[in-house]
Amino acid sequence: GGTGLLAGIRVLITAGPTREPIDPVRYISNRSSGKMGYAVAAAALAEGAEVVLVSGPTALPPPQVHEFVTVESAAEMYAAVMARAESCGIYIGTAAVADYTPVAAAPQKIKKTLAETQIALTRTPDILGTVAGLARRPFTVGFAAETHDLENYARQKLAGKALDMVAANQVGQGLGFDAEDNALFVCWPGGDTRLPFAPKRRLAEQLVRLIAERYRATGS
Ligand code: C5P
């Protein structure tokens, strides 16, 4: 392996939104651009990591990582992550995974015959929680996007899912999703820090440095 804070370490990163199929031509998704996850992947690569990027659909050019896996739905992302998580030293879940998915995708295009209709939804598998619960788990980093009470939710997420680190960002009012700049509140068991407003590329570099530091400190 080469040099850098993450030389020789396999880092699994998820990025982008997921698409939950309603019928063959429709889906439920969100405003995630994938920019933060791709920036984290580039920063980890620059620190010498062996990067595996599992990505939902984005408009971004595919980065030069060691393995690039494209998925659509939360179920596909879950399968791609679980097939690889135990062989990785660090997991960084930046993807905006859908929380709900249609109970079943209609086999044919749904016609507009009804004045009103409903789509029954069911919870998606919790990818981050499942990774954190693995017997041979990687150092596990979760993301949180909140419109209010950011620090409290971040600490709750850290404790609730027994994560090693949570990076939280404010969304809404033009912040977060699909924006060029961002700010992060980062916490871990026993500490926290704020990474002030900056381009996502800069923030990703700082976050990756923090992750490398904590990864070594915990002796993972
Ligand atoms: O609780 P919340 O959905 O805000 O948590 C966001 C974090 O959880 C992100 O790291 C996201 O990638 C992850 N997540 C997941 N599987 C889900 C939902 C969210 O891994 N089904």
Short mmCIF file of all heavy atoms in Angstrom, two decimals, residues 124-176:
data_model
loop_
_atom_site.label_atom_id
_atom_site.label_comp_id
_atom_site.label_asym_id
_atom_site.label_seq_id
_atom_site.Cartn_x
_atom_site.Cartn_y
_atom_site.Cartn_z
N THR A 124 -38.13 0.48 4.92
CA THR A 124 -36.99 -0.15 4.24
C THR A 124 -36.07 -0.76 5.30
O THR A 124 -36.14 -0.37 6.47
CB THR A 124 -36.19 0.90 3.43
OG1 THR A 124 -35.86 1.97 4.32
CG2 THR A 124 -37.00 1.42 2.25
N PRO A 125 -35.19 -1.69 4.90
CA PRO A 125 -34.22 -2.21 5.87
C PRO A 125 -33.28 -1.09 6.32
O PRO A 125 -32.91 -0.24 5.53
CB PRO A 125 -33.46 -3.28 5.08
CG PRO A 125 -33.70 -2.97 3.64
CD PRO A 125 -35.03 -2.29 3.57
N ASP A 126 -32.92 -1.09 7.59
CA ASP A 126 -31.99 -0.11 8.16
C ASP A 126 -30.55 -0.57 7.87
O ASP A 126 -30.01 -1.40 8.59
CB ASP A 126 -32.24 0.03 9.66
CG ASP A 126 -31.33 1.06 10.31
OD1 ASP A 126 -30.48 1.65 9.61
OD2 ASP A 126 -31.48 1.27 11.52
N ILE A 127 -29.97 -0.03 6.82
CA ILE A 127 -28.63 -0.47 6.39
C ILE A 127 -27.59 -0.12 7.46
O ILE A 127 -26.81 -0.97 7.89
CB ILE A 127 -28.25 0.18 5.04
CG1 ILE A 127 -29.32 -0.15 3.98
CG2 ILE A 127 -26.88 -0.29 4.57
CD1 ILE A 127 -29.15 0.62 2.67
N LEU A 128 -27.61 1.13 7.90
CA LEU A 128 -26.65 1.61 8.89
C LEU A 128 -26.74 0.81 10.19
O LEU A 128 -25.73 0.37 10.75
CB LEU A 128 -26.92 3.10 9.16
CG LEU A 128 -26.01 3.83 10.13
CD1 LEU A 128 -24.58 3.84 9.62
CD2 LEU A 128 -26.52 5.26 10.34
N GLY A 129 -27.97 0.61 10.67
CA GLY A 129 -28.17 -0.13 11.91
C GLY A 129 -27.70 -1.58 11.79
O GLY A 129 -27.14 -2.14 12.73
N THR A 130 -27.93 -2.18 10.62
CA THR A 130 -27.51 -3.56 10.41
C THR A 130 -25.98 -3.67 10.37
O THR A 130 -25.40 -4.58 10.96
CB THR A 130 -28.13 -4.14 9.12
OG1 THR A 130 -29.54 -3.90 9.15
CG2 THR A 130 -27.89 -5.63 9.00
N VAL A 131 -25.33 -2.71 9.70
CA VAL A 131 -23.86 -2.71 9.66
C VAL A 131 -23.30 -2.56 11.08
O VAL A 131 -22.40 -3.28 11.50
CB VAL A 131 -23.31 -1.58 8.75
CG1 VAL A 131 -21.80 -1.42 8.91
CG2 VAL A 131 -23.65 -1.87 7.29
N ALA A 132 -23.89 -1.63 11.85
CA ALA A 132 -23.42 -1.38 13.22
C ALA A 132 -23.62 -2.60 14.11
O ALA A 132 -22.91 -2.77 15.11
CB ALA A 132 -24.14 -0.17 13.81
N GLY A 133 -24.57 -3.45 13.77
CA GLY A 133 -24.86 -4.64 14.58
C GLY A 133 -24.09 -5.89 14.16
O GLY A 133 -24.24 -6.95 14.79
N LEU A 134 -23.28 -5.80 13.12
CA LEU A 134 -22.51 -6.97 12.67
C LEU A 134 -21.51 -7.40 13.74
O LEU A 134 -20.96 -6.56 14.45
CB LEU A 134 -21.74 -6.64 11.38
CG LEU A 134 -22.55 -6.47 10.09
CD1 LEU A 134 -21.64 -5.95 8.97
CD2 LEU A 134 -23.19 -7.79 9.69
N ALA A 135 -21.28 -8.71 13.82
CA ALA A 135 -20.31 -9.23 14.78
C ALA A 135 -18.91 -8.69 14.46
O ALA A 135 -18.20 -8.22 15.35
CB ALA A 135 -20.32 -10.75 14.76
N ARG A 136 -18.53 -8.73 13.19
CA ARG A 136 -17.23 -8.17 12.77
C ARG A 136 -17.51 -6.86 12.06
O ARG A 136 -17.42 -6.78 10.84
CB ARG A 136 -16.51 -9.15 11.84
CG ARG A 136 -15.76 -10.26 12.56
CD ARG A 136 -14.89 -11.04 11.58
NE ARG A 136 -14.09 -10.15 10.75
CZ ARG A 136 -13.93 -10.29 9.42
NH1 ARG A 136 -14.54 -11.26 8.80
NH2 ARG A 136 -13.17 -9.46 8.75
N ARG A 137 -17.87 -5.85 12.85
CA ARG A 137 -18.34 -4.63 12.20
C ARG A 137 -17.20 -3.68 11.90
O ARG A 137 -16.21 -3.59 12.64
CB ARG A 137 -19.37 -3.95 13.08
CG ARG A 137 -18.77 -3.23 14.27
CD ARG A 137 -19.86 -2.46 14.96
NE ARG A 137 -19.37 -1.26 15.61
CZ ARG A 137 -20.19 -0.34 16.11
NH1 ARG A 137 -21.48 -0.51 16.04
NH2 ARG A 137 -19.70 0.72 16.68
N PRO A 138 -17.34 -2.93 10.79
CA PRO A 138 -16.36 -1.87 10.53
C PRO A 138 -16.60 -0.70 11.47
O PRO A 138 -17.66 -0.62 12.10
CB PRO A 138 -16.66 -1.49 9.09
CG PRO A 138 -18.07 -1.89 8.84
CD PRO A 138 -18.37 -3.03 9.77
N PHE A 139 -15.63 0.21 11.57
CA PHE A 139 -15.83 1.51 12.23
C PHE A 139 -16.97 2.17 11.47
O PHE A 139 -16.87 2.39 10.27
CB PHE A 139 -14.54 2.32 12.14
CG PHE A 139 -14.60 3.65 12.84
CD1 PHE A 139 -14.17 3.79 14.14
CD2 PHE A 139 -15.07 4.78 12.16
CE1 PHE A 139 -14.21 5.02 14.78
CE2 PHE A 139 -15.13 6.02 12.79
CZ PHE A 139 -14.68 6.13 14.10
N THR A 140 -18.06 2.46 12.18
CA THR A 140 -19.32 2.79 11.48
C THR A 140 -19.72 4.26 11.66
O THR A 140 -19.92 4.71 12.79
CB THR A 140 -20.45 1.87 11.99
OG1 THR A 140 -20.01 0.51 11.87
CG2 THR A 140 -21.71 2.05 11.16
N VAL A 141 -19.82 4.96 10.54
CA VAL A 141 -20.14 6.39 10.55
C VAL A 141 -21.50 6.61 9.87
O VAL A 141 -21.70 6.20 8.73
CB VAL A 141 -19.07 7.21 9.79
CG1 VAL A 141 -19.38 8.70 9.87
CG2 VAL A 141 -17.68 6.91 10.34
N GLY A 142 -22.40 7.27 10.59
CA GLY A 142 -23.71 7.60 10.02
C GLY A 142 -23.82 9.08 9.71
O GLY A 142 -23.10 9.89 10.29
N PHE A 143 -24.70 9.41 8.80
CA PHE A 143 -25.01 10.80 8.49
C PHE A 143 -26.40 11.12 9.00
O PHE A 143 -27.23 10.23 9.14
CB PHE A 143 -24.92 11.07 6.98
CG PHE A 143 -23.60 11.64 6.58
CD1 PHE A 143 -22.46 10.87 6.64
CD2 PHE A 143 -23.50 12.95 6.14
CE1 PHE A 143 -21.23 11.39 6.29
CE2 PHE A 143 -22.28 13.49 5.77
CZ PHE A 143 -21.14 12.72 5.84
N ALA A 144 -26.64 12.37 9.26
CA ALA A 144 -27.98 12.78 9.64
C ALA A 144 -28.25 14.12 8.97
O ALA A 144 -27.38 14.98 8.92
CB ALA A 144 -28.08 12.92 11.15
N ALA A 145 -29.43 14.25 8.42
CA ALA A 145 -29.85 15.52 7.85
C ALA A 145 -31.10 15.93 8.60
O ALA A 145 -32.07 15.20 8.65
CB ALA A 145 -30.15 15.36 6.36
N GLU A 146 -31.04 17.09 9.23
CA GLU A 146 -32.15 17.53 10.08
C GLU A 146 -32.51 18.97 9.76
O GLU A 146 -31.64 19.76 9.40
CB GLU A 146 -31.79 17.43 11.56
CG GLU A 146 -31.30 16.06 12.02
CD GLU A 146 -32.38 15.00 12.06
OE1 GLU A 146 -33.58 15.35 11.90
OE2 GLU A 146 -32.05 13.82 12.22
N THR A 147 -33.78 19.30 9.93
CA THR A 147 -34.21 20.69 9.74
C THR A 147 -34.17 21.47 11.06
O THR A 147 -34.21 22.69 11.06
CB THR A 147 -35.64 20.74 9.18
OG1 THR A 147 -36.48 19.95 10.02
CG2 THR A 147 -35.70 20.21 7.76
N HIS A 148 -34.10 20.76 12.20
CA HIS A 148 -34.06 21.44 13.50
C HIS A 148 -33.46 20.51 14.57
O HIS A 148 -33.41 19.30 14.37
CB HIS A 148 -35.47 21.88 13.91
CG HIS A 148 -36.41 20.72 14.11
ND1 HIS A 148 -36.98 20.04 13.07
CD2 HIS A 148 -36.85 20.12 15.23
CE1 HIS A 148 -37.74 19.07 13.54
NE2 HIS A 148 -37.68 19.09 14.86
N ASP A 149 -33.00 21.10 15.66
CA ASP A 149 -32.49 20.34 16.81
C ASP A 149 -31.39 19.34 16.42
O ASP A 149 -31.33 18.22 16.91
CB ASP A 149 -33.65 19.58 17.46
CG ASP A 149 -33.64 19.76 18.98
OD1 ASP A 149 -32.77 20.50 19.48
OD2 ASP A 149 -34.49 19.16 19.65
N LEU A 150 -30.50 19.82 15.54
CA LEU A 150 -29.45 19.00 14.92
C LEU A 150 -28.60 18.20 15.92
O LEU A 150 -28.44 16.99 15.79
CB LEU A 150 -28.57 19.95 14.12
CG LEU A 150 -27.53 19.38 13.19
CD1 LEU A 150 -28.21 18.75 12.01
CD2 LEU A 150 -26.61 20.49 12.70
N GLU A 151 -28.07 18.90 16.94
CA GLU A 151 -27.13 18.25 17.84
C GLU A 151 -27.79 17.15 18.67
O GLU A 151 -27.20 16.09 18.88
CB GLU A 151 -26.47 19.28 18.76
CG GLU A 151 -25.70 20.32 17.96
CD GLU A 151 -24.74 21.14 18.80
OE1 GLU A 151 -24.54 20.82 20.00
OE2 GLU A 151 -24.18 22.10 18.26
N ASN A 152 -29.01 17.42 19.13
CA ASN A 152 -29.72 16.40 19.91
C ASN A 152 -29.99 15.15 19.10
O ASN A 152 -29.75 14.03 19.57
CB ASN A 152 -31.04 16.95 20.46
CG ASN A 152 -30.81 17.81 21.68
OD1 ASN A 152 -29.83 17.60 22.41
ND2 ASN A 152 -31.68 18.76 21.91
N TYR A 153 -30.50 15.33 17.87
CA TYR A 153 -30.78 14.17 17.02
C TYR A 153 -29.50 13.40 16.71
O TYR A 153 -29.49 12.17 16.68
CB TYR A 153 -31.47 14.60 15.72
CG TYR A 153 -32.93 14.90 15.89
CD1 TYR A 153 -33.45 16.15 15.57
CD2 TYR A 153 -33.81 13.93 16.38
CE1 TYR A 153 -34.80 16.43 15.72
CE2 TYR A 153 -35.16 14.20 16.53
CZ TYR A 153 -35.66 15.45 16.20
OH TYR A 153 -36.99 15.73 16.35
N ALA A 154 -28.40 14.15 16.47
CA ALA A 154 -27.13 13.50 16.14
C ALA A 154 -26.66 12.62 17.31
O ALA A 154 -26.27 11.47 17.12
CB ALA A 154 -26.07 14.55 15.81
N ARG A 155 -26.73 13.15 18.54
CA ARG A 155 -26.29 12.38 19.71
C ARG A 155 -27.21 11.18 19.94
O ARG A 155 -26.76 10.11 20.32
CB ARG A 155 -26.25 13.26 20.95
CG ARG A 155 -25.08 14.22 20.91
CD ARG A 155 -24.58 14.58 22.30
NE ARG A 155 -23.49 15.54 22.18
CZ ARG A 155 -23.68 16.85 22.00
NH1 ARG A 155 -24.90 17.33 21.93
NH2 ARG A 155 -22.65 17.65 21.88
N GLN A 156 -28.52 11.39 19.72
CA GLN A 156 -29.48 10.28 19.86
C GLN A 156 -29.17 9.17 18.87
O GLN A 156 -29.23 7.99 19.20
CB GLN A 156 -30.91 10.76 19.62
CG GLN A 156 -31.56 11.40 20.83
CD GLN A 156 -32.92 12.00 20.49
OE1 GLN A 156 -33.64 11.46 19.64
NE2 GLN A 156 -33.26 13.09 21.13
N LYS A 157 -28.85 9.56 17.62
CA LYS A 157 -28.54 8.58 16.58
C LYS A 157 -27.28 7.80 16.93
O LYS A 157 -27.22 6.58 16.77
CB LYS A 157 -28.39 9.28 15.24
CG LYS A 157 -28.39 8.34 14.06
CD LYS A 157 -28.74 9.07 12.78
CE LYS A 157 -30.11 9.69 12.87
NZ LYS A 157 -30.51 10.35 11.62
N LEU A 158 -26.27 8.53 17.42
CA LEU A 158 -25.00 7.90 17.82
C LEU A 158 -25.25 6.82 18.87
O LEU A 158 -24.79 5.68 18.73
CB LEU A 158 -24.07 8.97 18.38
CG LEU A 158 -22.66 8.52 18.76
CD1 LEU A 158 -21.81 8.32 17.51
CD2 LEU A 158 -22.00 9.55 19.68
N ALA A 159 -26.00 7.17 19.89
CA ALA A 159 -26.26 6.24 21.00
C ALA A 159 -27.25 5.15 20.58
O ALA A 159 -27.03 3.96 20.83
CB ALA A 159 -26.79 7.01 22.20
N GLY A 160 -28.34 5.56 19.90
CA GLY A 160 -29.40 4.63 19.56
C GLY A 160 -28.95 3.50 18.66
O GLY A 160 -29.40 2.36 18.82
N LYS A 161 -28.07 3.78 17.71
CA LYS A 161 -27.61 2.74 16.79
C LYS A 161 -26.20 2.25 17.15
O LYS A 161 -25.60 1.50 16.39
CB LYS A 161 -27.63 3.25 15.35
CG LYS A 161 -29.05 3.45 14.82
CD LYS A 161 -29.09 3.73 13.32
CE LYS A 161 -30.52 4.05 12.89
NZ LYS A 161 -30.62 4.38 11.47
N ALA A 162 -25.67 2.69 18.30
CA ALA A 162 -24.32 2.32 18.74
C ALA A 162 -23.29 2.55 17.63
O ALA A 162 -22.52 1.67 17.28
CB ALA A 162 -24.30 0.87 19.21
N LEU A 163 -23.30 3.77 17.08
CA LEU A 163 -22.37 4.11 16.00
C LEU A 163 -21.04 4.60 16.58
O LEU A 163 -20.95 4.94 17.76
CB LEU A 163 -22.99 5.20 15.12
CG LEU A 163 -24.35 4.88 14.52
CD1 LEU A 163 -24.89 6.07 13.73
CD2 LEU A 163 -24.29 3.64 13.64
N ASP A 164 -20.01 4.65 15.73
CA ASP A 164 -18.72 5.19 16.14
C ASP A 164 -18.63 6.69 15.90
O ASP A 164 -17.84 7.39 16.53
CB ASP A 164 -17.59 4.48 15.39
CG ASP A 164 -17.54 3.00 15.75
OD1 ASP A 164 -17.31 2.70 16.94
OD2 ASP A 164 -17.76 2.15 14.87
N MET A 165 -19.45 7.19 14.96
CA MET A 165 -19.45 8.62 14.66
C MET A 165 -20.72 8.98 13.89
O MET A 165 -21.23 8.18 13.12
CB MET A 165 -18.21 8.97 13.82
CG MET A 165 -18.01 10.44 13.55
SD MET A 165 -16.50 10.76 12.59
CE MET A 165 -15.26 10.77 13.87
N VAL A 166 -21.21 10.21 14.13
CA VAL A 166 -22.32 10.74 13.34
C VAL A 166 -21.93 12.12 12.81
O VAL A 166 -21.39 12.94 13.55
CB VAL A 166 -23.62 10.84 14.17
CG1 VAL A 166 -24.68 11.65 13.42
CG2 VAL A 166 -24.16 9.47 14.51
N ALA A 167 -22.16 12.33 11.53
CA ALA A 167 -21.95 13.64 10.91
C ALA A 167 -23.32 14.19 10.54
O ALA A 167 -24.04 13.57 9.76
CB ALA A 167 -21.07 13.51 9.67
N ALA A 168 -23.66 15.33 11.13
CA ALA A 168 -25.01 15.86 10.95
C ALA A 168 -24.97 17.19 10.22
O ALA A 168 -24.12 18.03 10.50
CB ALA A 168 -25.69 16.02 12.30
N ASN A 169 -25.88 17.36 9.28
CA ASN A 169 -25.97 18.65 8.60
C ASN A 169 -27.39 19.17 8.56
O ASN A 169 -28.36 18.43 8.60
CB ASN A 169 -25.36 18.57 7.19
CG ASN A 169 -26.16 17.69 6.28
OD1 ASN A 169 -26.31 16.50 6.52
ND2 ASN A 169 -26.71 18.25 5.25
N GLN A 170 -27.46 20.49 8.54
CA GLN A 170 -28.73 21.21 8.52
C GLN A 170 -29.27 21.17 7.10
O GLN A 170 -28.55 21.46 6.16
CB GLN A 170 -28.45 22.66 8.93
CG GLN A 170 -29.67 23.48 9.20
CD GLN A 170 -30.04 23.43 10.67
OE1 GLN A 170 -29.16 23.45 11.53
NE2 GLN A 170 -31.31 23.35 10.96
N VAL A 171 -30.54 20.80 6.93
CA VAL A 171 -31.17 20.86 5.61
C VAL A 171 -32.36 21.81 5.63
O VAL A 171 -32.86 22.17 6.69
CB VAL A 171 -31.63 19.46 5.11
CG1 VAL A 171 -30.42 18.58 4.80
CG2 VAL A 171 -32.56 18.79 6.11
N GLY A 172 -32.80 22.18 4.45
CA GLY A 172 -33.86 23.18 4.34
C GLY A 172 -33.23 24.55 4.16
O GLY A 172 -32.03 24.73 4.38
N GLN A 173 -34.01 25.53 3.73
CA GLN A 173 -33.54 26.90 3.48
C GLN A 173 -32.31 26.91 2.57
O GLN A 173 -31.36 27.65 2.79
CB GLN A 173 -33.19 27.60 4.80
CG GLN A 173 -34.36 27.75 5.75
CD GLN A 173 -33.95 27.55 7.21
OE1 GLN A 173 -32.77 27.45 7.51
NE2 GLN A 173 -34.93 27.47 8.07
N GLY A 174 -32.33 26.05 1.55
CA GLY A 174 -31.24 26.02 0.58
C GLY A 174 -29.97 25.32 1.06
O GLY A 174 -28.97 25.28 0.37
N LEU A 175 -30.03 24.74 2.27
CA LEU A 175 -28.85 24.07 2.82
C LEU A 175 -28.91 22.57 2.59
O LEU A 175 -30.00 22.00 2.49
CB LEU A 175 -28.75 24.31 4.33
CG LEU A 175 -28.50 25.75 4.78
CD1 LEU A 175 -28.62 25.85 6.29
CD2 LEU A 175 -27.13 26.21 4.34
N GLY A 176 -27.75 21.93 2.56
CA GLY A 176 -27.69 20.48 2.55
C GLY A 176 -27.90 19.87 1.19
O GLY A 176 -27.03 19.97 0.33
#
